[in-house]
Amino acid sequence: MMFDPTVEVKKDTILAIETSCDETAAAVVRDGWQVLSNVVASQVDLHARFGGVVPEIASRNHLETVNAVMAQALNEAGVALPDLTAVAVTIGPGLVGALHIGLVAAKALAFATGLPLVGVNHLEGHIFANLLQHRDATPPFVCLVVSGGHTSLVHMPEFGSYELMGSTLDDAAGEAFDKIAKFLGLGYPGGPMIDKLAADGDPSAIEFPRAMMHTKDFDFSLSGLKTAVINHVRKEREAGREIDLADLAAGFQAAVVDVQVHKTVEAAELKRVDTVLLAGGVACNTSLRERLRAELINRNVRVLYPSPAMCTDNAAMIGAAGHFRLWRGEFLQLDADALPNLQL
Ligand code: KG4
Ligand code: ZN
């Protein structure tokens, strides 16, 4: 039988490492769900003045930070190297140079200790963040994976099996939030700022396009919305009118969330699942969480999402997915490469 973490309990202690983007993270996870430590060294301040992640700065900072973050994760967990069962590390998708640093650190540790090495798909990690906090959740699931780099609807008939139903044709959801925030001078990352501003705005004050809302597929397009927001702001400025940032944020957010909620509901109905998982940084979004839950509750579909700290990049989620891969007997060789375009 294939390993099913909701049926079988497997004992292990995993040190997990995540460096795919701009967080240097390490965590110790026991038995696939107990988070003994979860250290995240964010580089946000280093990238903020550029309005986005600068890959070269990210790699260099991971290199300077990763050893200390790993040591801190072990220390906070009260775990020594001989207590570990395996080392898990994100192998992709992500920035190649950034991924490489975590991978090399994990390989060096595995080589020195003789521990098995497990490679984890970053997106599977985001999905497994749900299982850290909802241990009873069993597939089939429909997962909406929305992060800075990805926007996908995924059908997960069983653990470890993924069918891509659709994805963005251009910008990712988080990328759209970040670009609009940058344009408005709100800082980086943009998602949390727009979420907060939108809470005081009227989502119907400015009507933005809902791209691909009725295309009867599960794809998304967000670049047109970005242009529509920018054009609106330029027009208002030219006309000498004051821009209500709260209404603008609320209108933009509603346009994103409307399409995502609509397509996720359709996907859940098509696949007849009773559980939908939200995953990735944009799963922090208040409106997305509330709207999706409200829409699906009437259809007897449960919507799960991780706590905000587990939605954004962290290594605990990599430990959870690593546990699953370990007990499937999927190991990484010491000559493995980072896979910047890895698919689920
Ligand atoms: O998953 P994540 O930490 O990194 C990637 O794997 O990309 O996601 C980061 C993204 C950023 O684009 C950020 O703006 C977005 O998640 N984000 C949000 C919110 N919190 C973070 N987007 C919308 N609303 C939020 N509350
Ligand atoms: Zn991520």
Side-chain angles (χ1 to χ4, degrees):
M1 194 187 98
M2 282 299 213
F3 171 57
D4 179 339
T6 53
V7 178
E8 282 175 272
V9 178
K10 298 279 194 188
K11 297 268 173 208
D12 60 19
T13 305
I14 292 180
L15 174 68
I17 301 161
E18 150 67 43
T19 63
S20 68
C21 191
D22 61 344
E23 326 278 358
T24 318
V28 178
V29 178
R30 185 157 283 166
D31 307 338
W33 67 274
Q34 261 181 285
V35 182
L36 303 189
S37 64
N38 187 27
V39 180
V40 181
S42 178
Q43 307 176 358
V44 157
D45 295 346
L46 296 176
H47 300 284
R49 68 194 182 98
F50 302 102
V53 178
V54 183
E56 175 58 26
I57 294 177
S59 309
R60 197 173 323 157
N61 201 253
H62 285 311
L63 183 61
E64 285 167 6
T65 317
V66 71
N67 283 342
V69 167
M70 283 161 59
Q72 192 183 338
L74 288 170
N75 197 17
E76 284 184 13
V79 161
L81 289 178
D83 305 326
L84 293 176
T85 317
V87 180
V89 62
T90 306
I91 47 165
L95 302 168
V96 67
L99 287 164
H100 188 70
I101 305 298
L103 186 57
V104 167
K107 282 180 186 177
L109 186 62
F111 182 68
T113 55
L115 287 167
L117 184 62
V118 181
V120 174
N121 181 309
H122 182 78
L123 301 175
E124 186 172 55
H126 273 304
I127 292 171
F128 268 73
N130 280 289
L131 299 166
L132 284 170
Q133 293 173 326
H134 310 285
R135 289 183 62 217
D136 59 327
T138 47
F141 303 126
V142 158
C143 315
L144 176 65
V145 184
V146 272
S147 71
H150 292 84
T151 299
S152 303
L153 266 168
V154 177
H155 178 223
M156 184 174 166
E158 59 181 291
F159 281 110
S161 153
Y162 302 98
E163 178 207 340
L164 183 66
M165 299 179 72
S167 53
T168 181
L169 305 178
D170 39 59
D171 292 352
E175 191 181 353
F177 274 93
D178 294 340
K179 284 180 175 168
I180 293 301
K182 183 178 181 182
F183 173 73
L184 296 172
L186 297 173
Y188 172 83
M193 324 251 187
I194 291 184
D195 191 347
K196 215 155 121 210
L197 263 176
D200 299 320
D202 171 3
S204 52
I206 313 164
E207 192 70 23
F208 288 119
R210 269 82 173 143
M212 304 188 70
M213 181 87 160
H214 301 292
T215 45
K216 302 276 176 219
D217 55 26
F218 299 103
D219 290 332
F220 302 88
S221 168
L222 285 146
S223 66
L225 173 60
K226 181 187 61 196
T227 313
V229 173
I230 292 171
N231 286 345
H232 172 84
V233 170
R234 291 217 169 110
K235 245 191 335 212
E236 292 297 293
R237 278 183 187 152
E238 272 163 24
R241 281 192 288 268
E242 190 90 16
I243 289 155
D244 186 322
L245 276 182
D247 283 350
L248 187 76
F252 161 75
Q253 182 174 274
V256 176
V257 169
D258 268 2
V259 183
Q260 291 191 347
V261 168
H262 177 74
K263 296 211 170 190
T264 307
V265 170
E266 301 256 292
E269 291 196 326
L270 179 72
K271 297 297 180 187
R272 299 176 187 279
V273 297
D274 60 17
T275 310
V276 164
L277 306 182
L278 254 180
V282 184
C284 290
N285 188 266
T286 323
S287 168
L288 179 60
R289 289 169 175 241
E290 286 170 1
R291 291 273 320 282
L292 199 57
R293 200 162 255 186
E295 286 292 327
L296 284 169
I297 209 161
N298 308 322
R299 295 167 168 89
N300 289 321
V301 177
R302 188 155 86 122
V303 177
L304 303 179
Y305 37 76
S307 64
M310 289 294 174
C311 283
T312 49
D313 288 350
N314 66 84
M317 69 185 197
I318 302 304
H323 167 84
F324 173 72
R325 291 290 162 193
L326 173 70
W327 293 103
R328 301 262 281 211
E330 296 174 20
F331 302 105
L332 206 61
Q333 299 304 311
L334 288 178
D335 61 356
D337 282 327
L339 303 169
N341 301 312
L342 184 66
Q343 306 284 318
L344 260 177

